[in-house]
Amino acid sequence: MKWVLSQPGPCSTKPFMNGRVFRWLAFGALAWVTLGETVKDREGAVRQDAASMSGDARWIYNDVDRGFEQARNSGKPLLVVLRCVPCLACGGLDGRVIDRSTDLASLLDQFVCVRVINANALDLSRFQFDYDLSFSTLVFNGDGTLYGRFGSWVHQTNSQDRAVDGFRRTLQGALKLHRGYPGNRSVLEGKQGTPVPYRTPVDLPTLAGKYRPELDWKGKVVPSCVHCHQIGDAFRTAFRERGESIPSGWIYPQPAPDTLGFSLAPDQAATVQRVTAGSISDRAGLRPGDELVAVRGQHVISIADVSWALHGAPESGELTVDVVRGGQRKSLVLELPPNWRRRADISRRVGTWEIRAMALGGLLLEDLPDPDRARMGIGTAEMALRVKHAGEYGRHAVAKRAGVQKDDVLVGVDGISHRMSESELIGHLLQAHRTGDTVGVVVRRGDQRLELSIAQQ
C-alpha cells in the first residue's frame, strides 16, 4: 500500500503556574473549546509542560529512541503520546492521562510511556497517524511493530470522560495483542507504517532549513516546534510544487467512519453507535451494537484503527468488515463507490486552512440551508455555497482580490453547478487542477450574478 494520507530565548524557565495547578487546568478544559483554539501563553504552556513532566517517574519526555530501548529491555509495550500542548482541544483527556491519581495509573504502569510535544524528529515511516489531531497515541512492541493507534475527531470533540473510557479500552486491547505477539503478526501487518520519501518532518522541502530536530529551549521554544499538522501541509505542498495531483489520502486523511454512514461510540474500542439509513454501511448490513474486530483483515482496537484501515482502502470496490454480533462473528462487505472519500467532512481540520488557499483562494464556504435557497430561488439539487469568510492576507486573499466578497453565494465553480459540499469541491479542484490554473466561478450577490475567476495556488 502506498502511504497517501489522513505554535507547539532567553526566557525564564520558572513555571508560570505550579505543575499541580497546570495539570488540573488541563483536566478541566471544557469540551466546547473551539478546535484549534490555543492557550494565551503558548510559550509558557510548553515550558511548564517540560518542567512538570521531565522529572516524572512514569514518563520519558521527548525521547522516542530511549522509549524503544526501555521497551526492548523490559519486555513491556511502548506507549507514545503525541500532544500539542498549547491546543486546548483534548486538554481534559490529556490531563487524565498524565495525572497519577486517576484510575488509568495501574494500566499505564504496564507500559513504557513516552510523551512527545513536537513532531520535529519523528520517524515518518513509523509515525503515521491523523496529523490534524492535538492528541494522538501509538502503541508499539519494542521491536517497532505497531499494535494500534488512538485519537479521533470523536474523542477530540466528545465528553472527556467518555474519551478516557475509549482510551482505556484501547490500552487493554494493546496489552492483549502484546501477550499474543509474535503469533499474531499476520493481523498486524496492515497496521504498520508504509514507505515515505522523507525520513523526518525537518527533511520535508518546505520545512528543511527552517527547523532543527531539537527544540530551541535556550531561545523561543514555540517557533522552533514542528506541529503535526505541518507534516500534512508540507506533503501537500510537495505534490503541488512538483505539478502533481494531490492524492485523495492527503486531502481526506484518516476518514471518519461517518464517511461510510456509521459512527462509533467514544467510550468503546470500536462499537457501532449509529448507522445512517440508506448509507453504504446500512446496505451492507452493519447495525448499532456491532463490535468491529477487523477491517480489511486488520485487527482493530480503536476508532483510530478503523480510520487507518479506511485510509488504506481502495478508491472504489469492496471493503470487508468483521463484526461480533450477539456473540457470533460475521463478515460484511461494504461497496465503495468512486470518490467515496469526498463524502468526508474536512471543514474543521487545521490542515484545511492551507488547502483552502490552494483550491479556493482563501475562501471558507458553507452549504446554504434549504430555507435560504428557497428565498433566493435556488433549487435543493443546485450548488449554493455561501462565503463565510474571505481571507485578507497573502495567498489566502487571492479570491478576495479576484472580487469575491463575504456572503456571496457560489452557484457555479469550474463548470459544476450541482449541489456539493465545500469538502467535495476542494477535492475536485485539487485533483483536476494544478498551480497557476484559473478556475471560473459564478457568484450570486443580492440580485446580481457575477462571473469571476480564481487562480489555483
Side-chain angles (χ1 to χ4, degrees), residues 363-366 385-390 405-408:
L363 298 179
L364 170 61
L365 306 175
E366 59 180 0
L385 293 167
R386 175 190 285 139
V387 178
K388 189 175 182 180
H389 174 76
Q405 299 179 8
K406 184 178 182 298
D407 293 325
D408 282 349

Side-chain angles (χ1 to χ4, degrees), residues 28-180:
L30 298 178
W32 50 258
V33 168
T34 303
L35 295 183
E37 186 177 347
T38 62
V39 297
K40 293 182 178 180
D41 183 4
R42 297 194 297 170
E43 187 82 9
V46 171
R47 290 189 177 278
Q48 173 56 40
D49 192 74
S52 177
M53 299 299 298
S54 293
D56 191 283
R58 171 180 291 138
W59 293 91
I60 298 171
Y61 199 70
N62 260 10
D63 193 340
V64 173
D65 290 340
R66 182 182 161 203
F68 273 109
E69 181 181 5
Q70 284 199 17
R72 288 191 295 270
N73 293 337
S74 67
K76 292 181 178 181
L78 172 65
L79 172 70
V80 181
V81 171
L82 300 112
R83 170 68 174 144
C84 179
V85 174
C87 295
L88 291 177
C90 285
L93 174 58
D94 185 43
R96 288 285 294 273
V97 171
I98 64 177
D99 193 331
R100 281 188 169 274
S101 66
T102 68
D103 57 355
L104 288 174
S106 60
L107 188 56
L108 292 171
D109 285 340
Q110 300 177 63
F111 294 83
V112 173
C113 299
V114 176
R115 181 173 177 81
V116 177
I117 65 164
N118 66 293
N120 299 46
L122 289 181
D123 179 348
L124 290 177
S125 65
R126 176 173 284 167
F127 286 89
Q128 298 177 11
F129 55 96
D130 192 334
Y131 295 131
D132 281 332
L133 297 176
S134 65
F135 181 97
S136 292
T137 297
L138 291 87
V139 186
F140 299 91
N141 182 278
D143 67 7
T145 300
L146 181 70
Y147 290 138
R149 300 167 171 84
F150 176 87
S152 72
W153 293 96
V154 173
H155 297 126
Q156 184 135 329
T157 59
N158 215 303
S159 161
Q160 296 304 333
D161 287 338
R162 299 190 71 192
V164 169
D165 289 336
F167 183 70
R168 180 185 296 105
R169 291 179 184 275
T170 297
L171 296 187
Q172 292 168 342
L175 287 172
K176 184 176 180 180
L177 288 174
H178 186 63
R179 289 192 293 269

Side-chain angles (χ1 to χ4, degrees), residues 36 92 103 140 144 155 211 217 324 338 349 356 435:
D103 57 355
F140 299 91
H155 297 126
Y211 297 91
W217 291 106
V324 171
R349 286 180 170 272
R356 289 188 178 103
T435 300

Side-chain angles (χ1 to χ4, degrees), residues 78-325:
L78 172 65
L79 172 70
V80 181
V81 171
L82 300 112
R83 170 68 174 144
C84 179
V85 174
C87 295
L88 291 177
C90 285
L93 174 58
D94 185 43
R96 288 285 294 273
V97 171
I98 64 177
D99 193 331
R100 281 188 169 274
S101 66
T102 68
D103 57 355
L104 288 174
S106 60
L107 188 56
L108 292 171
D109 285 340
Q110 300 177 63
F111 294 83
V112 173
C113 299
V114 176
R115 181 173 177 81
V116 177
I117 65 164
N118 66 293
N120 299 46
L122 289 181
D123 179 348
L124 290 177
S125 65
R126 176 173 284 167
F127 286 89
Q128 298 177 11
F129 55 96
D130 192 334
Y131 295 131
D132 281 332
L133 297 176
S134 65
F135 181 97
S136 292
T137 297
L138 291 87
V139 186
F140 299 91
N141 182 278
D143 67 7
T145 300
L146 181 70
Y147 290 138
R149 300 167 171 84
F150 176 87
S152 72
W153 293 96
V154 173
H155 297 126
Q156 184 135 329
T157 59
N158 215 303
S159 161
Q160 296 304 333
D161 287 338
R162 299 190 71 192
V164 169
D165 289 336
F167 183 70
R168 180 185 296 105
R169 291 179 184 275
T170 297
L171 296 187
Q172 292 168 342
L175 287 172
K176 184 176 180 180
L177 288 174
H178 186 63
R179 289 192 293 269
Y181 188 80
N184 52 13
R185 279 183 183 271
S186 61
V187 298
L188 299 174
E189 289 179 359
K191 304 178 82 167
Q192 309 310 304
T194 53
V196 291
Y198 307 102
R199 189 177 65 86
T200 70
V202 297
D203 295 312
L204 282 155
T206 58
L207 301 179
K210 299 178 182 178
Y211 297 91
R212 299 181 303 176
E214 308 84 15
L215 294 182
D216 183 13
W217 291 106
K218 294 182 179 180
K220 291 292 186 181
V221 176
V222 172
S224 72
C225 174
V226 173
H227 294 270
C228 290
H229 74 84
Q230 289 179 277
I231 300 173
D233 294 345
F235 266 102
R236 285 184 287 269
T237 298
F239 284 114
R240 204 71 162 170
E241 290 183 346
R242 292 196 300 266
E244 301 175 10
S245 174
I246 300 178
S248 295
W250 281 110
I251 304 172
Y252 309 100
Q254 315 288 325
D258 304 74
T259 308
L260 300 182
F262 71 98
S263 63
L264 297 173
D267 56 350
Q268 303 294 315
T271 299
V272 177
Q273 180 172 261
R274 176 187 55 81
V275 179
T276 302
S279 66
I280 295 170
S281 299
D282 185 33
R283 293 194 296 271
L286 199 64
R287 296 293 177 260
D290 286 350
E291 179 187 351
L292 274 63
V293 292
V295 179
R296 297 179 56 237
Q298 303 173 28
H299 185 78
V300 297
I301 58 173
S302 69
I303 298 174
D305 272 0
V306 175
S307 289
W308 170 259
L310 296 183
H311 178 74
E315 294 300 314
S316 63
E318 295 185 347
L319 176 74
T320 302
V321 175
D322 292 343
V323 304
V324 171
R325 181 188 301 166

Side-chain angles (χ1 to χ4, degrees), residues 392-413:
E392 299 181 4
Y393 305 102
R395 58 203 298 265
H396 289 270
V398 167
K400 184 174 183 178
R401 291 195 293 268
V404 183
Q405 299 179 8
K406 184 178 182 298
D407 293 325
D408 282 349
V409 177
L410 276 58
V411 295
V413 178

Side-chain angles (χ1 to χ4, degrees), residues 367-379:
D367 189 57
L368 200 65
D370 289 349
D372 292 341
R373 289 167 171 267
R375 283 192 290 272
M376 295 185 67
I378 300 175

